[in-house]
Amino acid sequence: MLAQPDPSPFSRRGFLAASAAAGTLLGLVPGPARAGTRPRPFGRYGSPAARRDPRTLYVHPDGAGDHTTVRDAVAAADGSGYTLVIAPGVYRQTVAVDRTRTGMTWVGASEDPGDVVIVYDNAAGTPKPGGGTHGTTGSATATVQADGFTARWITFANDWLRADHPDVTGTQAVALKVQGDRSAFHHCRFLGHQDTLYADSMALGTLARQYFTHCYAEGDVDFVFGRATAVFDRCHFRTLSRTDLVGAPYGFVFAPSTAGASPLGYLVTRSRVSSEAPDGYYKLARPWVPSSDPTARPMLTVRDTWLGPGIDAVAPYTTMRDAHPWQSMRFAEYRNTGPGAVVSVPENRPQLSVSQAASHTRARYLGDWRPCA
């Protein structure tokens, strides 16, 4: 049984507040080095002077590495199998890993995701220099298209705020868009509000298996969404409060857009959903059937997960468009606990049988790929 979770010690709101209090837009003040020890910005992962192998690159914001930005390090990693060891710092930039840079790994050197933050502030409605706006995909702080990508102990954030831009209607602001197959995220954080984590694929009919373990994601509207076959294992999802709305619902945790031909969509297992909003102000999910794929049949299974009181237990699912009611989609639950998991209206909470649940496991969703080995 999962115990009731404590709020995350490093939420996006807390991060922004701490930065403002420090008198900077986004700042990071490293803790003091222990007495009698030399600073080791790359922890146990070597250094440019003690490089583990030629395909390990070191990133340090003040010049102690090979590169001062993650973007420059990615550009230098021209080929497959590179590792980026990233020293503590706030890296304010957008970053893209294209399809040619397969098998890339990013490691937060301190092994604390609160220390390595990749952040930017574009939204879908943000104007582009050459005209037009970024759109949802273009708003992403980090975009990963390459297969075989792994990240450990990294925070991906988008700190664009509605309150600062009341004239902008395109309020989607993606922290990470990941499209590659065999993409794994261990002990990472995804901070944003609308459309925080875009777990997607490169194209219809293209398999994109993704694995998130011991990760934290927060937001309000559809903040985990997309077409990937994704497993969220022992993750924490936190719904935010909102000052721009006076009533429920404030938003939706998941908005899968699984292709109709795809047998598997999102699996959430051994996880937890907490909230800073009033009780019952959030829906667990709604199906996204994009105009580019009107035959999509979104799939979400939530099992063995603690659902806090922020989730509307009476009606946890809702419809995004009348033409695609949630009841016609592939939504199901199994052995969830917590006040948001109470089944008071059975027709609103489809449940798997024991035999059905046996096919909704990490191993089945990921197939022959073993990211947790």
Coordinates of all heavy atoms in Angstrom, one line a residue, residues 8 10-12 113 118 142 149 151-152 154-158 173-178 184-193 195-198 211-219 223-224 232 235-238 240:
S8 N 6.2 17.7 -3.0 CA 7.6 17.6 -3.5 C 8.4 18.7 -2.9 O 8.0 19.9 -2.8 CB 7.6 17.7 -5.1 OG 8.9 18.0 -5.5
F10 N 10.8 20.1 -4.3 CA 11.4 21.0 -5.3 C 10.4 21.1 -6.5 O 10.5 20.6 -7.6 CB 12.7 20.4 -5.9 CG 13.4 21.3 -6.9 CD1 13.9 22.5 -6.5 CD2 13.4 20.9 -8.2 CE1 14.5 23.3 -7.4 CE2 14.1 21.7 -9.1 CZ 14.6 22.9 -8.7
S11 N 9.3 21.8 -6.2 CA 8.3 22.0 -7.2 C 8.6 23.2 -8.0 O 9.5 24.0 -7.6 CB 6.9 22.2 -6.5 OG 6.9 23.5 -5.9
R12 N 8.0 23.3 -9.1 CA 8.2 24.5 -10.0 C 7.9 25.8 -9.3 O 8.6 26.7 -9.4 CB 7.4 24.3 -11.3 CG 7.4 25.5 -12.2 CD 6.6 25.1 -13.5 NE 6.3 26.3 -14.3 CZ 5.3 27.0 -14.2 NH1 4.4 26.8 -13.3 NH2 5.1 28.0 -15.1
P113 N 18.2 15.8 -8.9 CA 17.6 16.5 -10.0 C 17.3 18.0 -9.7 O 17.2 18.8 -10.6 CB 16.2 15.8 -10.2 CG 15.9 15.1 -8.9 CD 17.3 14.7 -8.3
I118 N 17.3 22.5 -16.6 CA 17.2 23.0 -18.0 C 15.9 23.6 -18.2 O 14.8 23.0 -18.1 CB 17.4 21.8 -19.0 CG1 18.8 21.1 -18.7 CG2 17.4 22.3 -20.5 CD1 19.0 19.8 -19.5
A142 N 13.0 21.2 -24.0 CA 13.9 20.2 -24.6 C 13.1 19.3 -25.5 O 12.0 18.9 -25.1 CB 14.5 19.4 -23.4
F149 N 17.6 7.3 -25.9 CA 18.0 8.4 -25.0 C 17.7 8.0 -23.6 O 16.7 7.4 -23.2 CB 17.2 9.6 -25.4 CG 17.6 10.8 -24.6 CD1 18.6 11.7 -24.9 CD2 16.8 11.1 -23.4 CE1 18.9 12.8 -24.1 CE2 17.1 12.3 -22.7 CZ 18.2 13.1 -23.0
A151 N 18.1 9.8 -19.5 CA 18.4 10.9 -18.6 C 18.3 10.5 -17.2 O 17.3 9.8 -16.8 CB 17.5 12.1 -18.9
R152 N 19.2 10.9 -16.4 CA 19.2 10.6 -14.9 C 19.4 11.9 -14.1 O 20.4 12.7 -14.5 CB 20.2 9.6 -14.6 CG 20.1 8.3 -15.2 CD 21.2 7.3 -14.9 NE 21.1 6.0 -15.6 CZ 20.4 5.0 -15.1 NH1 19.8 5.1 -14.0 NH2 20.4 3.9 -15.8
I154 N 17.9 14.9 -13.8 CA 17.8 16.1 -14.5 C 16.4 16.7 -14.3 O 15.4 16.0 -14.3 CB 18.0 15.9 -16.0 CG1 19.3 15.2 -16.4 CG2 17.9 17.3 -16.8 CD1 20.5 16.0 -16.2
T155 N 16.3 18.0 -14.2 CA 15.0 18.7 -14.2 C 14.8 19.4 -15.5 O 15.7 20.2 -15.9 CB 14.9 19.8 -13.0 OG1 14.9 19.1 -11.8 CG2 13.7 20.6 -13.2
F156 N 13.7 19.1 -16.1 CA 13.3 19.8 -17.4 C 12.1 20.7 -17.0 O 11.1 20.3 -16.4 CB 12.8 18.8 -18.4 CG 13.8 17.8 -18.8 CD1 14.0 16.6 -18.1 CD2 14.6 18.0 -19.9 CE1 15.0 15.7 -18.5 CE2 15.6 17.1 -20.3 CZ 15.8 15.9 -19.6
A157 N 12.2 22.0 -17.3 CA 11.2 23.0 -16.8 C 10.8 24.0 -17.9 O 11.6 24.3 -18.8 CB 11.7 23.7 -15.6
N158 N 9.6 24.4 -17.8 CA 9.1 25.5 -18.6 C 8.5 26.5 -17.7 O 7.4 26.2 -17.1 CB 8.1 25.1 -19.7 CG 7.8 26.2 -20.7 OD1 7.6 27.3 -20.3 ND2 7.8 25.8 -22.0
A173 N 2.8 25.0 -22.7 CA 4.2 25.4 -22.5 C 4.9 24.1 -22.1 O 4.9 23.7 -20.9 CB 4.3 26.5 -21.4
V174 N 5.5 23.4 -23.0 CA 6.1 22.1 -22.8 C 7.5 22.2 -22.2 O 8.3 23.0 -22.6 CB 6.2 21.4 -24.2 CG1 6.8 20.0 -24.0 CG2 4.8 21.2 -24.8
A175 N 7.7 21.4 -21.2 CA 9.1 21.3 -20.6 C 9.9 20.3 -21.4 O 11.1 20.5 -21.7 CB 9.0 20.8 -19.2
L176 N 9.3 19.1 -21.7 CA 10.0 18.1 -22.5 C 9.1 17.5 -23.5 O 8.0 17.0 -23.2 CB 10.6 17.0 -21.6 CG 11.2 15.8 -22.3 CD1 12.5 16.1 -23.0 CD2 11.4 14.6 -21.4
K177 N 9.5 17.4 -24.8 CA 8.9 16.6 -25.8 C 9.8 15.5 -26.1 O 10.9 15.7 -26.6 CB 8.5 17.4 -27.0 CG 7.8 16.5 -28.0 CD 7.2 17.2 -29.2 CE 6.4 16.3 -30.1 NZ 5.7 17.0 -31.2
V178 N 9.4 14.2 -25.9 CA 10.2 13.1 -26.2 C 9.5 12.2 -27.2 O 8.3 11.8 -27.0 CB 10.7 12.3 -24.9 CG1 9.5 11.9 -24.1 CG2 11.5 11.1 -25.3
A184 N 14.4 6.6 -21.8 CA 14.3 6.3 -20.3 C 14.7 7.5 -19.5 O 15.7 8.2 -19.8 CB 15.2 5.1 -19.9
F185 N 13.9 7.7 -18.5 CA 14.1 8.9 -17.6 C 14.0 8.3 -16.1 O 13.0 7.8 -15.7 CB 13.0 9.9 -17.8 CG 13.1 10.6 -19.2 CD1 12.5 9.9 -20.2 CD2 13.8 11.7 -19.4 CE1 12.6 10.4 -21.5 CE2 13.9 12.2 -20.7 CZ 13.3 11.6 -21.7
H186 N 15.2 8.5 -15.4 CA 15.3 8.0 -14.1 C 15.5 9.2 -13.1 O 16.4 10.0 -13.3 CB 16.5 7.0 -13.9 CG 16.5 5.9 -14.9 ND1 16.1 4.6 -14.5 CD2 16.8 5.8 -16.2 CE1 16.2 3.8 -15.5 NE2 16.6 4.5 -16.6
H187 N 14.7 9.3 -12.1 CA 14.8 10.3 -11.1 C 14.9 11.7 -11.7 O 15.7 12.5 -11.4 CB 16.1 10.1 -10.3 CG 16.1 8.8 -9.5 ND1 15.5 8.6 -8.3 CD2 16.6 7.6 -9.9 CE1 15.6 7.3 -7.9 NE2 16.3 6.7 -8.9
C188 N 14.0 12.0 -12.7 CA 13.9 13.3 -13.3 C 12.7 14.0 -12.9 O 11.8 13.4 -12.4 CB 13.9 13.1 -14.9 SG 15.5 12.6 -15.5
R189 N 12.7 15.3 -13.1 CA 11.5 16.2 -12.8 C 11.1 16.9 -14.0 O 11.9 17.4 -14.8 CB 11.8 17.1 -11.6 CG 12.2 16.3 -10.4 CD 12.2 17.2 -9.2 NE 12.6 16.4 -8.0 CZ 12.0 16.5 -6.8 NH1 11.0 17.3 -6.6 NH2 12.4 15.7 -5.8
F190 N 9.8 17.1 -14.2 CA 9.2 17.8 -15.3 C 8.3 18.9 -14.7 O 7.2 18.6 -14.2 CB 8.5 16.8 -16.2 CG 9.3 15.6 -16.5 CD1 9.1 14.4 -15.8 CD2 10.2 15.7 -17.5 CE1 9.9 13.3 -16.1 CE2 11.0 14.6 -17.9 CZ 10.9 13.4 -17.1
L191 N 8.6 20.1 -14.9 CA 7.9 21.2 -14.2 C 7.3 22.2 -15.3 O 8.0 22.7 -16.1 CB 8.9 22.0 -13.3 CG 9.8 21.2 -12.4 CD1 10.6 22.2 -11.5 CD2 8.9 20.3 -11.5
G192 N 6.0 22.4 -15.1 CA 5.3 23.3 -16.0 C 3.9 23.5 -15.6 O 3.6 23.3 -14.4
H193 N 3.0 23.9 -16.5 CA 1.6 24.0 -16.1 C 0.8 23.3 -17.1 O 0.3 22.2 -16.9 CB 1.2 25.4 -15.8 CG 1.2 26.4 -17.0 ND1 0.2 26.5 -17.9 CD2 2.2 27.2 -17.4 CE1 0.5 27.4 -18.8 NE2 1.8 27.9 -18.5
D195 N 0.5 21.1 -20.5 CA 1.3 20.3 -21.5 C 2.7 20.2 -21.0 O 3.7 20.3 -21.8 CB 1.2 20.9 -22.9 CG -0.2 20.7 -23.5 OD1 -1.1 20.3 -22.8 OD2 -0.3 21.0 -24.7
T196 N 3.0 19.9 -19.8 CA 4.4 19.8 -19.3 C 5.2 18.8 -19.9 O 6.3 19.0 -20.4 CB 4.3 19.6 -17.7 OG1 3.5 20.6 -17.1 CG2 5.7 19.6 -17.1
L197 N 4.7 17.5 -20.0 CA 5.5 16.4 -20.5 C 4.7 15.8 -21.7 O 3.6 15.3 -21.6 CB 5.6 15.3 -19.4 CG 6.3 14.0 -19.8 CD1 7.6 14.2 -20.4 CD2 6.4 13.1 -18.6
Y198 N 5.4 15.9 -22.8 CA 4.8 15.5 -24.1 C 5.5 14.1 -24.5 O 6.5 14.1 -25.1 CB 5.1 16.5 -25.2 CG 4.2 16.5 -26.4 CD1 4.3 17.5 -27.3 CD2 3.4 15.4 -26.8 CE1 3.5 17.5 -28.5 CE2 2.7 15.4 -27.9 CZ 2.7 16.4 -28.8 OH 2.0 16.4 -30.0
Y211 N 10.1 5.0 -20.8 CA 10.0 4.5 -19.4 C 10.4 5.6 -18.5 O 11.5 6.2 -18.6 CB 10.9 3.3 -19.2 CG 11.0 2.7 -17.9 CD1 9.8 2.2 -17.3 CD2 12.1 2.7 -17.1 CE1 9.8 1.6 -16.0 CE2 12.2 2.1 -15.8 CZ 11.0 1.6 -15.3 OH 11.0 1.0 -14.0
F212 N 9.5 5.9 -17.5 CA 9.8 6.9 -16.5 C 9.7 6.3 -15.2 O 8.7 5.7 -14.8 CB 8.7 8.0 -16.6 CG 8.7 8.7 -17.9 CD1 7.9 8.2 -19.0 CD2 9.3 9.9 -18.2 CE1 7.9 8.8 -20.2 CE2 9.2 10.6 -19.4 CZ 8.5 10.0 -20.4
T213 N 10.8 6.4 -14.4 CA 10.8 5.7 -13.1 C 11.3 6.7 -12.0 O 12.3 7.4 -12.3 CB 11.6 4.4 -13.1 OG1 11.5 3.8 -11.8 CG2 13.0 4.7 -13.4
H214 N 10.6 6.7 -10.9 CA 11.0 7.6 -9.8 C 11.1 9.1 -10.3 O 12.0 9.8 -9.9 CB 12.3 7.2 -9.1 CG 12.3 5.9 -8.5 ND1 12.7 4.7 -9.1 CD2 11.9 5.5 -7.2 CE1 12.6 3.7 -8.3 NE2 12.1 4.1 -7.1
C215 N 10.1 9.4 -11.1 CA 10.1 10.8 -11.7 C 9.0 11.6 -11.0 O 8.1 11.0 -10.4 CB 9.9 10.8 -13.2 SG 11.4 10.2 -14.1
Y216 N 9.1 12.9 -11.2 CA 8.1 13.8 -10.6 C 7.6 14.7 -11.8 O 8.4 15.3 -12.5 CB 8.7 14.7 -9.5 CG 7.8 15.8 -9.0 CD1 6.9 15.6 -8.0 CD2 7.9 17.1 -9.6 CE1 6.1 16.7 -7.6 CE2 7.1 18.1 -9.1 CZ 6.2 17.9 -8.1 OH 5.4 18.9 -7.7
A217 N 6.3 14.9 -11.9 CA 5.7 15.8 -13.0 C 4.6 16.6 -12.3 O 3.8 16.1 -11.6 CB 5.2 15.0 -14.2
E218 N 4.6 17.9 -12.7 CA 3.5 18.7 -12.1 C 3.0 19.6 -13.2 O 3.6 19.9 -14.2 CB 4.0 19.5 -11.0 CG 5.0 20.7 -11.3 CD 5.3 21.5 -10.1 OE1 5.3 21.0 -9.0 OE2 5.7 22.7 -10.3
G219 N 1.7 20.0 -13.0 CA 1.1 20.9 -14.0 C -0.4 21.0 -13.7 O -0.9 20.7 -12.6
F223 N -1.2 17.7 -18.4 CA 0.2 17.9 -18.3 C 1.1 16.7 -18.5 O 2.3 16.7 -18.5 CB 0.6 18.6 -17.0 CG 0.3 17.9 -15.7 CD1 1.3 17.1 -15.1 CD2 -0.9 18.0 -15.0 CE1 1.0 16.4 -13.9 CE2 -1.2 17.4 -13.8 CZ -0.2 16.6 -13.3
V224 N 0.5 15.5 -18.8 CA 1.2 14.4 -19.4 C 0.4 13.9 -20.5 O -0.8 13.4 -20.4 CB 1.4 13.2 -18.3 CG1 2.1 12.1 -19.0 CG2 2.1 13.7 -17.1
F232 N 4.9 4.7 -16.6 CA 5.3 5.6 -15.5 C 5.3 4.7 -14.2 O 4.2 4.3 -13.7 CB 4.3 6.7 -15.4 CG 4.2 7.5 -16.6 CD1 3.3 7.2 -17.6 CD2 5.0 8.6 -16.8 CE1 3.2 8.0 -18.8 CE2 5.0 9.4 -18.0 CZ 4.1 9.1 -19.0
C235 N 6.2 6.9 -10.0 CA 6.3 8.3 -10.2 C 5.3 9.1 -9.4 O 4.4 8.5 -8.8 CB 6.0 8.6 -11.7 SG 7.3 8.0 -12.8
H236 N 5.5 10.4 -9.3 CA 4.7 11.3 -8.5 C 4.2 12.4 -9.4 O 5.0 13.1 -10.0 CB 5.5 11.9 -7.3 CG 4.7 12.8 -6.5 ND1 5.3 13.5 -5.4 CD2 3.4 13.2 -6.4 CE1 4.4 14.2 -4.8 NE2 3.3 14.1 -5.4
F237 N 2.9 12.5 -9.5 CA 2.2 13.5 -10.3 C 1.5 14.5 -9.3 O 0.8 14.1 -8.5 CB 1.2 12.9 -11.3 CG 1.8 11.8 -12.1 CD1 1.7 10.5 -11.7 CD2 2.4 12.1 -13.3 CE1 2.3 9.5 -12.5 CE2 2.9 11.1 -14.1 CZ 2.9 9.8 -13.7
R238 N 1.8 15.8 -9.5 CA 1.2 16.8 -8.6 C 0.4 17.8 -9.4 O 1.0 18.4 -10.3 CB 2.2 17.4 -7.8 CG 1.7 18.4 -6.7 CD 2.6 18.6 -5.6 NE 2.2 19.5 -4.5 CZ 1.3 19.1 -3.5 NH1 0.9 17.9 -3.4 NH2 1.0 20.0 -2.6
L240 N -1.5 21.4 -9.7 CA -1.3 22.8 -9.1 C -2.6 23.5 -8.9 O -3.6 23.2 -9.5 CB -0.4 23.6 -10.1 CG 0.9 23.0 -10.4 CD1 1.6 23.9 -11.5 CD2 1.8 22.8 -9.2

